[in-house]
Amino acid sequence: MRVEIVKLLKDEGKLSSKTIEEINQIDIHDFSSLVQEIGKEETEHIRASEISKDLNTKYVGKELFVFKEVSSTNTLAKFLSMNGIADGSVIISEKQTKARGRSGKSWESPLGGVWLSIVLNPHVDYAKLPLITLATGVAVAKTLEKIGVENPEIKWPNDIMINGKKVCGILTEAITKLNTIENVIIGVGIDANLDVEDFPEELQEGTTTLQKELGRKGNENLLIKTFLEEFEEISELFDHEGYEEILKEWRKRSYSIGKIVEVREPFNKNYDAYVLGVSREGALIVEKIDGTLEKVISGECIIKN
C-alpha cells in the first residue's frame, strides 16, 4: 500500500524533490495529510462542489476526496481510514489503474465511469457483513431507477444488472484489529458514460453501460450525489437493525431468485442448484439437484442458460 501512496504523491508532484531516503523517513500521518490535500484539489470531470451542493445526507459524503487517477479507490480508502478520516467519507477517482472486484478479479475503470469507495464504521459483527453488500446493491438499484433505468436487478452477491448484463459491481472489505471490525470499505464501480467497446473484447458480451441503456450521456456528479443519498437512507436502516426491510427491497429486485445457477464456493466442488431466496444473514439459499438445501455464504453463482 505504501508503494501505491508514494506513486500517487510523486505523480502529483508532492515528492518530486525528495530522495528515496527522505521519502522513507516521512511519517505515515504526513503521507495521509498530503493525500487528503490532493483529494481536495479541483478535478476536470468529477467535481466535489457539484456533488456537495444540496447533498441531503447527515454524514455520508460530507467529506469528499476526489482524484484524477489512483490505482484503486478501495486501497486509498483503506489507507485514509487508518489515518483518521471521518465515518462516511467518500473517495472518488476519475480513473483507476489497478481496480479489482471480488476474488481479486481486475476491474476496468476508464474515464467516464463512476469509481468510488465509502468508509464506514458500522459497529457490526462479521455475520452481518454480507448484508452491507446487499444494502449497497439496493442503493445502486434505486439510484438507477431515479435516473430513468427500467427494472435494474441485483445479482447475488454484488452485481447490478440491466437487461441481463452487468452495469455495476460492489466490493466490500473489512478492516479489522484484534478480531474487531474497525471500518468497512465499500467500493462501487458503475459503468456510466462509457461505450461497451471501451472494455476488453472478452467482457463486452456480458457488460452494459448507462449511456447505452439510456441512449444518452448522463451527469456523473448528479449520479454520485443521488447514490450517496440513497446509500445513507438504506444504511440508516442497517444501523437500526431494519434488516427485513433491506431484504424486502433486495428480493423485489433480485436477478438470481428463481434461476438455475452453477455455485462456485471456495474449497468446494462446483455444483448446480436452483435459487430459492436469501437468508436474514444475506446468504443465498439454493436447492441442489438431490433436493438438499444449502446456504451459500461466499463465492459466486453463474446463471445457467
Side-chain angles (χ1 to χ4, degrees), residues 248-261:
K248 176 184 174 183
E249 293 294 329
W250 190 93
R251 290 174 181 128
K252 284 196 308 188
R253 299 170 175 83
S254 173
Y255 179 76
S256 304
I257 294 175
K259 289 186 169 65
I260 302 292
V261 299

Side-chain angles (χ1 to χ4, degrees), residues 101-298:
R102 295 180 76 246
S103 304
K105 294 178 181 177
S106 63
W107 180 269
E108 295 295 323
S109 311
L111 187 66
V114 167
W115 324 118
L116 64 82
S117 297
I118 302 173
V119 177
L120 282 188
N121 187 356
H123 305 291
V124 296
D125 57 36
Y126 283 98
K128 292 293 188 292
L129 282 179
L131 285 174
I132 294 179
T133 301
L134 268 57
T136 305
V138 172
V140 173
K142 284 188 167 186
T143 299
L144 300 190
E145 290 165 1
K146 280 194 170 181
I147 66 169
V149 175
E150 294 184 8
N151 195 33
E153 296 176 290
I154 310 170
K155 178 176 175 286
W156 188 93
N158 67 325
D159 293 338
I160 310 301
M161 315 291 285
I162 303 176
N163 297 322
K165 296 190 175 185
K166 181 175 177 176
V167 74
C168 170
I170 298 162
L171 179 63
T172 304
E173 299 180 287
I175 298 174
T176 62
K177 186 175 182 180
L178 300 176
N179 297 319
T180 301
I181 296 175
E182 293 202 326
N183 287 297
V184 173
I185 309 300
I186 304 163
V188 175
I190 304 174
D191 299 329
N193 291 328
L194 300 167
D195 293 317
V196 174
E197 292 73 23
D198 292 334
F199 297 95
E201 189 173 342
E202 64 271 18
L203 298 179
Q204 291 179 14
E205 184 178 351
T207 299
T208 191
T209 71
L210 296 183
Q211 179 174 292
K212 178 179 179 180
E213 297 298 328
L214 295 173
R216 55 176 170 78
K217 283 185 177 290
N219 185 323
E220 296 159 17
N221 298 297
L222 178 60
L223 179 65
I224 293 170
K225 176 183 175 181
T226 304
F227 167 68
L228 296 182
E229 292 174 346
E230 290 293 339
F231 179 86
E232 181 169 288
E233 184 175 327
I234 202 159
S235 70
E236 287 187 338
L237 277 176
F238 196 96
D239 290 340
H240 293 90
E241 299 188 1
Y243 307 131
E244 282 302 326
E245 182 64 25
I246 293 171
L247 292 170
K248 176 184 174 183
E249 293 294 329
W250 190 93
R251 290 174 181 128
K252 284 196 308 188
R253 299 170 175 83
S254 173
Y255 179 76
S256 304
I257 294 175
K259 289 186 169 65
I260 302 292
V261 299
E262 179 185 351
V263 179
R264 299 177 180 177
E265 295 179 279
F267 312 114
N268 283 333
K269 289 184 178 180
N270 300 344
Y271 59 88
D272 290 349
Y274 178 79
V275 179
L276 296 174
V278 66
S279 73
R280 283 179 55 86
E281 299 79 28
L284 201 68
I285 303 171
V286 302
E287 181 180 358
K288 299 173 74 172
I289 301 301
D290 62 8
T292 58
L293 302 183
E294 293 283 349
K295 282 186 179 181
V296 184
I297 298 172
S298 62

